Amino acid sequence: MVRSSIRARLAGAGAAAFLIGGLFAQAAPSLAASPSHVLPAGWTAGSTPIGARSLGIRNVRTELAQAKSSPAFDRSASDAALAALEARPRGSTTPRSGLSPDVIGPPAPDPVTASGGPAPTTPVAVAGQDQPSTGTVEPASPGIAVAPDELVQADNNSLQFTDRSGSAVGSLDLPTFFGLPEISNGASFDTFDSQPEVHFDSSRQRWIATELSWDCATGTFTGDQATLGHGYIDYGISNTADPLASWSFGVFFWYDLLPDQPEIGTSTANFALSSNLYAMSAGGSPTTPDCINGAFQGGSLVLSDWAQLGPGFDGSKVIGRTFGLPTVPDLRVAIQEPETSPEVRVVFADSRTPGLNAAYTDFVGSAVHNTFTGVGFDLTADAILAGFATPPAPHQPSSGTLVGVNGDPESVIFHNGVLAFTSTYPCTPTGDSSTRDCVRVVTLGNATASQEPTRIGDTLIGTNGFDDSFGGIGWSGNGELHVVYTRSSASSDASSYESYHAAPDAWSAWSAPHVLSSGSSVYTGATWGGDPTVATDPQDPASVWVGDAYAAAAGKWATKIHQVTVGGAGTKYNPITPVRVLDSRSPSTAPVGLSGPFVSSTPRTFAVAGTHGIPADAVAITGNLTVTGQTGAGYVSLSPTATANPTSSTLNVPLGDVRANNVTIALAADGSLSAVYKSGGGKHASLILDVTGYFRGSSGDKYQPVAPSRILDSRSDPTIHSFVSDVPQSFQVRGDALTDPTILTIPSDATAITANLTVTGQTRAGYVSLTPDPTATPGTSTINFPIKDVRANGLTVPIAADGTVAAVFKGGGGKVDLVVDVTGYYTNTGAGALLFYPLNPGRRVDTRLAMGNDGLGNGLSGIQSTTPRSTVVAGHFAVPSTAVAITGNLTITGQTAAGRVALTDVSNAAPTTSTINFPLGDTRANGVTVPLGSGTGELWFVYQASTGKGTQLILDITGYFQ
């Protein structure tokens, strides 16, 4: 096995590759940088040395191809040792009574009320993982991460890889995945492991996996300071978005301390790992796990810089800094999804107070430069939140209970200025007379991390006659907050349930509970599952994903994979006379959207829905984005989410050229859009966005794609001549009056078309505006161009009542020829017309990168020549296999000759239409709305240029029709 080459992770290294501040015992060694810490009260910058090491780079697919071996050590014994450890007292021994006796003021949590929201759907509901038939291997600890094209599920023993439909791609046990030393592979000691976590970082398009491991060995390398053993947090970070390709692995380790229950946290600047530290003691051996039976020491937080964790990083060179709270357990560090803030946020139950007050702190700074600072707040003492409390053990049939629940925070997330967490809390549900377990969901306003959070919501989700416990939460892109939890009672087996809060509702209002996986037996294990993970879908804004646990047959646990979707129904199109919703050149006294230029790498957000006649319930728009006045070459990314590091682009621009591009783009849950200009430091640009229509669920038109067809070419059209500056002309689009209805028949009730506009032969620089009615003074533009440049732009434009579309050239004199290729139309009648489903932008094709594996990930690799090539789009990046057409953005770069590229639904080496035209040496983009191959879901690309020439292609998908 590959792992045998790194089996002795500490052997032969002398002392640790570097030492960093630990927590509680010896004096810390000198650090490379002088600390610059201003820490919250009670936090320490540690004193016990810990180290970091590299575990190398390995390819998961290579591991899958080799014979899988079960762990050499006795997993039942290791799980039993962990269960015994975690059952020991930790933190304060004061009874957890909720509020401190001397505290007056925090409001009690609110009982849940019914929102009346519709039941969610589960488009994907497939078997996940089962408890092994032999051994204990518990608890389930279900977790899941989702990328644009793949899923990874973690449980106590392994990682399972699937596609978005839930079809299995492969699985690896944890020792194999992390390359752990085992005697069976030549090591002198066994490494015991458990508690995997997995996360997909959408900002960086990379996977993160962690686990707890330990050994009971000493003297494993020269200078080893351990007297009882070593505790580890192993971590792996994928080098690409493909979870089956190469990963870089590293480890943080402690001497004679165990970092139990590690949790992942993220921010824009830092990667964080929280854990509970326990002292090791005598009792184990190199082949047994029982050295982990010491006293609880406190909560630990390890902070590293993302800047050091690039693809192919060397874990031995990663600087980490540890901070801790002695005697305080279960520090929970927040996952940010998406990442929008540099601060790492932590929530915990403060056991130093009489009643376990709810507490919050944040850290910001650099591990490399040793400059972390933070603030902390006692939210209970400050009358913001009631404290935590110990819940009863959840019931299950046969007078049994589920062991493992406590009242501490369970799942913590940060999303667009809101910090949210769950805990299990004692309550008496409405209509009940007994104290039950309820899932407590707290939401805090925390847009500015250094200021004390404000209470937004504090709700107890409980059910008459049932215990609701072990809650996990996550947001969908459209603003629904989902909670997934275990439900059980004295007469019902442990099952997984889901409920959600919709953005417009009061924070106490949640949907009716919805069963995900029904239990079928009494769970006979010693400990019930850990907190389930609720993962945001990076592509589908209406969905989250869970790998939920339930009590399966024979008293064992099992998990299922669920895609949980609220709304997500197809939307209809409403064309409008083009209107300008953003012009950053506008004065601050009368801004159009925003005023002032966009500075490079600084995202800005502006309102769209609810403005300029666009209704508040619009979920997506069509329009035209223009960039002007840029002081540096670069690109602009338009998306529903504000991010300084977008994973897709909308428009590429050189210096000194006004450029435009068609967009079809989803709006954020609050109806806004965000844009970021990416260029050199200090560069800036002005942005303009004109909207031509919007999508909503309640009313509008459906879409009918057509094979790309040319309906206008003013170079040869007998009725339309070259467009003279300031002289609008109308051309027929629909009905029998179309010049050549044998090419294409657009019905008389069509309200708008999707098309590609090409300008050529222009004698002056300027712009062209397409509108439903002719005007010499349009308020919006469709395409901008210099002289002597064949340029194209996609469009969606309303049709006038007489079935025409008008165009005008604005160039201060001169003329231009226009070519229009139609790709579809919107209609309010007609069989087979399609609804639109907006997605977050996702990159299906980038020919500069390696081909995706198993049909997943990147769809094409290698330079595109003049020979047509195709990639399957349907079934990838949240586009279902039933999709008929897509919207997106096509970018051309690295071309070796001027030419054009056509996107078609069938293979055609000489298409009569084009999608984008370009000269040599110019990166260009064009918004597209194109049909997919019938029955195949394919999209074909052909580069039309001289034989032997080639170009690179990039395709970002923004939505689909079905």
Side-chain angles (χ1 to χ4, degrees):
M1 299 292 289
V2 174
R3 59 188 163 135
S4 64
S5 65
I6 57 170
R7 61 183 179 271
R9 66 171 104 181
L10 306 181
F18 72 93
L19 298 176
I20 60 181
L23 287 176
F24 305 112
Q26 305 108 348
S30 299
L31 297 171
S34 298
S36 176
H37 301 316
V38 179
L39 301 181
W43 284 85
T44 69
S47 54
T48 299
I50 70 171
R53 287 298 312 277
S54 174
L55 295 183
I57 297 177
R58 295 192 302 284
N59 189 289
V60 172
R61 187 165 283 97
T62 301
E63 299 281 5
L64 288 171
Q66 300 184 44
K68 178 184 175 184
S69 62
S70 298
F73 61 83
D74 183 347
R75 182 163 291 279
S76 297
S78 65
D79 284 346
L82 272 180
L85 177 78
E86 291 166 356
R88 296 171 67 87
R90 52 186 184 174
S92 172
T93 57
T94 303
R96 302 185 177 191
S97 58
L99 297 178
S100 302
D102 58 342
V103 171
I104 300 174
D110 299 317
V112 69
T113 59
S115 67
T121 60
T122 51
V124 174
V126 298
Q129 302 182 74
D130 297 324
Q131 183 176 349
S133 58
T134 59
T136 310
V137 191
E138 62 178 19
S141 299
I144 199 166
V146 57
D149 222 15
E150 304 93 349
L151 304 173
V152 178
Q153 188 190 20
D155 73 3
N156 188 294
N157 188 44
S158 64
L159 297 176
Q160 176 175 288
F161 304 88
T162 70
D163 63 21
R164 286 179 64 99
S165 70
S167 298
V169 176
S171 64
L172 288 175
D173 61 49
L174 293 183
T176 300
F177 180 77
F178 285 102
L180 299 185
E182 298 174 28
I183 288 179
S184 61
N185 289 311
S188 59
F189 58 90
D190 277 337
T191 306
F192 309 93
D193 66 333
S194 188
Q195 299 176 351
E197 296 282 336
V198 61
H199 173 65
F200 180 73
D201 188 279
S202 63
S203 298
R204 295 167 181 82
Q205 295 287 290
R206 292 162 66 199
W207 300 82
I208 306 166
T210 65
E211 68 162 4
L212 159 72
S213 68
W214 73 96
D215 63 54
C216 299
T218 60
T220 57
F221 58 89
T222 302
D224 188 353
Q225 300 178 33
T227 60
L228 300 165
H230 309 86
Y232 311 94
I233 298 180
D234 304 313
Y235 64 95
I237 300 178
S238 67
N239 295 322
T240 69
D242 182 357
L244 300 180
S246 68
W247 290 61
S248 295
F249 293 88
V251 59
F252 293 108
F253 69 91
W254 286 255
Y255 298 116
D256 301 329
L257 289 170
L258 181 82
D260 187 41
Q261 297 178 322
E263 299 282 343
I264 298 169
T266 58
S267 73
T268 58
N270 301 116
F271 170 54
L273 293 165
S274 64
S275 62
N276 292 324
L277 284 183
Y278 288 87
M280 290 182 170
S281 61
S285 73
T287 59
T288 61
D290 297 317
C291 61
I292 56 168
N293 56 4
F296 175 71
Q297 301 295 298
S300 170
L301 185 66
V302 180
L303 300 175
S304 301
D305 295 355
W306 273 118
Q308 284 196 296
L309 299 174
F313 73 89
D314 181 350
S316 65
K317 297 179 180 178
V318 173
I319 302 296
R321 305 290 174 184
T322 60
F323 303 93
L325 271 178
T327 75
V328 175
D330 293 336
L331 309 177
R332 295 296 187 184
V333 61
I335 285 280
Q336 290 192 31
E337 188 54 47
E339 292 168 4
T340 56
S341 168
E343 290 87 2
V344 172
R345 291 163 165 85
V346 183
V347 173
F348 56 96
D350 195 343
S351 59
R352 301 168 299 175
T353 60
L356 277 178
N357 287 4
Y360 158 84
T361 191
D362 76 78
F363 288 84
V364 62
S366 166
V368 172
H369 300 291
N370 203 15
T371 56
F372 282 106
T373 63
V375 297
F377 299 97
D378 186 327
L379 304 181
T380 303
D382 293 343
I384 294 172
L385 284 181
F388 295 90
T390 301
H395 295 85
Q396 62 171 337
S398 302
S399 301
T401 59
L402 298 173
V403 177
V405 70
N406 61 42
D408 294 340
E410 292 167 334
S411 178
V412 183
I413 54 174
F414 178 77
H415 174 81
N416 289 344
V418 178
L419 182 66
F421 65 86
T422 56
S423 65
T424 303
Y425 196 88
C427 79
T428 303
T430 302
D432 210 326
S433 58
S434 299
T435 300
R436 309 282 184 185
D437 290 278
C438 292
V439 175
R440 182 182 185 185
V441 182
V442 174
T443 49
L444 300 169
N446 193 219
T448 303
S450 60
Q451 296 178 4
E452 186 163 28
T454 58
R455 182 186 192 266
I456 298 176
D458 186 358
T459 304
L460 296 175
I461 296 177
T463 310
N464 183 7
F466 292 90
D467 289 307
D468 294 330
S469 56
F470 297 98
I473 52 173
W475 258 285
S476 65
N478 61 10
E480 267 80 32
L481 180 59
H482 292 257
V483 58
V484 176
Y485 52 94
T486 296
R487 172 176 288 184
S488 62
S489 73
S491 59
S492 58
D493 299 314
S495 304
S496 65
Y497 274 74
E498 186 274 349
S499 186
Y500 70 90
H501 170 267
D505 295 334
W507 277 102
S508 62
W510 288 72
S511 71
H514 171 247
V515 65
L516 295 176
S517 302
S518 297
S520 59
S521 71
V522 175
Y523 181 64
T524 58
T527 306
W528 184 238
D531 319 321
T533 301
V534 180
T536 302
D537 191 319
Q539 295 303 116
D540 185 349
S543 295
V544 297
W545 293 75
V546 295
D548 45 293
Y550 62 101
K556 295 183 178 293
W557 59 259
T559 69
K560 283 189 177 179
I561 296 172
H562 284 99
Q563 178 187 9
V564 182
T565 301
V566 176
T571 60
K572 298 177 181 180
Y573 185 65
N574 294 265
I576 62 174
T577 299
V579 60
R580 184 152 292 178
V581 300
L582 171 68
D583 188 343
S584 66
R585 303 168 303 175
S586 60
S588 58
T589 54
V592 179
L594 294 170
S595 179
F598 281 67
V599 177
S600 179
S601 298
T602 303
R604 300 172 72 188
T605 300
F606 54 96
V608 176
T611 69
H612 299 87
I614 302 167
D617 62 349
V619 298
I621 59 159
T622 61
N624 197 64
L625 175 68
T626 303
V627 178
T628 185
Q630 62 271 28
T631 59
Y635 67 91
V636 171
S637 179
L638 198 64
S639 71
T641 302
T643 175
N645 299 293
T647 58
S648 63
S649 61
T650 305
L651 176 58
N652 297 74
V653 293
L655 182 63
D657 187 3
V658 179
R659 292 227 170 151
N661 197 17
N662 170 52
V663 296
T664 302
I665 189 81
L667 301 176
D670 62 0
S672 66
L673 274 177
S674 297
V676 63
Y677 166 55
K678 299 292 289 184
S679 186
K683 304 298 184 181
H684 57 81
S686 293
L687 305 187
I688 301 165
L689 179 64
D690 299 325
V691 173
T692 61
Y694 58 86
F695 295 90
R696 66 195 304 197
S698 57
S699 62
D701 302 326
K702 296 182 179 181
Y703 185 66
Q704 181 63 63
V706 299
S709 304
R710 183 154 293 177
I711 65 168
L712 172 68
D713 187 340
S714 65
R715 298 170 299 180
S716 57
D717 194 294
T719 60
I720 298 291
H721 305 291
S722 297
F723 285 73
V724 177
S725 182
D726 299 321
V727 179
Q729 294 188 77
S730 296
F731 55 95
Q732 197 68 34
V733 168
R734 70 182 184 203
D736 296 336
L738 189 62
T739 302
D740 187 357
T742 63
I743 299 175
L744 172 69
T745 300
I746 298 177
S748 58
D749 64 351
T751 58
I753 59 168
T754 61
N756 196 66
L757 170 67
T758 304
V759 297
T760 185
Q762 60 270 38
T763 60
R764 290 285 186 92
Y767 67 91
V768 165
S769 179
L770 265 65
T771 57
D773 300 306
T775 175
T777 56
T780 58
S781 60
T782 305
I783 188 169
N784 297 71
F785 45 85
I787 197 171
K788 296 181 180 179
D789 186 0
V790 178
R791 189 168 289 190
N793 194 19
L795 58 86
T796 302
V797 63
I799 302 172
D802 62 358
T804 63
V805 168
V808 64
F809 168 47
K810 301 293 288 184
K815 65 179 182 178
V816 67
D817 280 307
L818 303 183
V819 179
V820 177
D821 298 323
V822 171
T823 59
Y825 57 87
Y826 289 94
T827 176
N828 53 29
T829 61
L834 309 171
L835 296 174
F836 178 65
Y837 297 78
L839 299 174
N840 295 325
R843 185 155 290 178
R844 173 56 177 156
V845 171
D846 189 338
T847 58
R848 302 169 300 177
L849 303 179
M851 185 74 172
N853 295 293
D854 308 303
L856 304 176
N858 195 40
L860 281 177
S861 181
I863 198 163
Q864 173 71 40
S865 69
T866 54
T867 300
R869 290 194 301 172
S870 70
T871 188
V872 176
V873 174
H876 297 278
F877 282 67
V879 178
S881 58
T882 52
V884 177
I886 61 163
T887 61
N889 196 62
L890 174 67
T891 303
I892 304 297
T893 189
Q895 60 270 36
T896 59
R900 62 182 183 271
V901 166
L903 269 60
T904 59
D905 56 342
V906 295
S907 178
N908 189 344
T912 57
T913 60
S914 63
T915 303
I916 189 168
N917 296 70
F918 45 86
L920 181 63
D922 188 1
T923 299
R924 289 198 173 177
N926 195 11
V928 297
T929 302
V930 290
L932 302 175
S934 177
T936 66
E938 290 178 298
L939 193 60
W940 286 85
F941 303 80
V942 61
Y943 173 43
Q944 294 181 284
S946 304
T947 302
K949 302 299 183 180
T951 187
Q952 303 284 5
L953 306 174
I954 301 168
L955 178 67
D956 298 321
I957 299 170
T958 62
Y960 65 90
F961 295 92
Q962 72 168 9

